[in-house]
Each structure stands twice: as structure tokens, then as C-alpha cells.
Amino acid sequence: MEWTLAGLFVISALLLIFSILKSTRAAKVEHNQIDMIHISTMKEINSLQESIRNLELDNEVLIKEAGIHLSSEEKILKREVLDLYMRNYSLESIAEMKQVEINEIEKIVAPYQEMKDEGRKVVNEN
């Protein structure tokens, strides 16, 4: 009886050690997978940031080459108005949101209305 209990105790100790070793190996593998995912995500983020920087520089070059002089407030206003217009907000609602006269909104949107209307004509002609 004593030998049986001692044997069972030794077997349970060995199984416990085996279980701990197996779980630490699995944890290491999982940790390595998480590290690889983190590294690939960071590479993608860096790539996107680089693309954004390049687009911003290209934009600045185009603005300088075209000779357009806009303040940062004017750039922001035009960007926001154009965004709202492209999302099909009415000119009146854009003017109300931005607290600007509708004539100013029409001036900002005018170059883009022709492009937007032309696309509709081509699609509807078929």
C-alpha cells in the first residue's frame, strides 16, 4: 500500500512537470506568433505613414508649382466643404454647417461639380 501511494505520488509529480514544460513551450510559441504579428503590423503602419508623407509632399509641390497661396484655415475649409459635397450634402446644408455664405460654398465646389455631373451623364447615357 505504501509503495502504491509512493508510486502514484511520483507519477503525479512527473505528470505535473511534463504539463508545466508543455504549457511553457506552447506559451513561447504563442508569444512568438504575437511578436510576428506585431512586427508585421508595425511594418504596415510604417509603410502607410511613409505613403502619407509622400502624398503630403506631393501636395505641397503641386501647390507651389501651381502658385496657389492658401492659408491653413482656407485649406481646411476647402477640404471639409469638398468632403461634405462628395458625401452628397446639399450646398445649403454645407453653408449652414460651416457658417459661410452659400456663394462661397458654390465657388469652392464649382470645379468639382462639372466632374461629378459628367460622370453621371456617361453612366446614364447607356
Side-chain angles (χ1 to χ4, degrees):
M1 181 85 157
E2 294 170 1
W3 287 103
T4 306
L5 262 133
L8 288 174
F9 183 72
V10 169
I11 291 173
S12 67
L14 290 174
L15 288 175
L16 178 65
I17 292 170
F18 178 73
S19 172
I20 290 172
L21 290 175
K22 191 155 182 107
S23 67
T24 55
R25 286 183 188 158
K28 284 181 183 178
V29 168
E30 187 175 309
H31 185 65
N32 287 339
Q33 289 175 343
I34 291 171
D35 285 346
M36 294 304 292
I37 291 171
H38 181 263
I39 289 170
S40 67
T41 303
M42 291 305 295
K43 284 181 181 178
E44 287 180 31
I45 289 171
N46 287 336
S47 172
L48 289 172
Q49 287 175 337
E50 181 71 24
S51 297
I52 290 170
R53 274 192 294 272
N54 288 339
L55 287 172
E56 288 173 345
L57 291 172
D58 290 346
N59 189 27
E60 288 297 319
V61 167
L62 287 173
I63 287 172
K64 294 289 183 190
E65 290 291 323
I68 300 171
H69 303 289
L70 296 174
S71 68
S72 61
E73 293 86 18
E74 290 173 326
K75 285 181 190 177
I76 292 171
L77 175 67
K78 285 187 176 197
R79 183 183 313 129
E80 290 173 351
V81 166
L82 187 57
D83 178 49
L84 291 170
Y85 177 71
M86 292 296 182
R87 291 194 280 156
N88 294 325
Y89 281 77
S90 69
L91 298 179
E92 294 81 15
S93 63
I94 296 172
E96 185 179 317
M97 279 190 244
K98 295 297 167 188
Q99 298 175 349
V100 178
E101 291 185 24
I102 194 163
N103 295 336
E104 184 68 26
I105 300 298
E106 288 173 348
K107 286 179 190 175
I108 293 172
V109 173
Y112 305 101
Q113 281 181 324
E114 295 170 4
M115 289 177 17
K116 197 172 183 181
D117 291 340
E118 287 175 3
R120 288 183 185 152
K121 289 178 186 174
V122 171
V123 170
N124 292 331
E125 285 182 5
N126 293 331

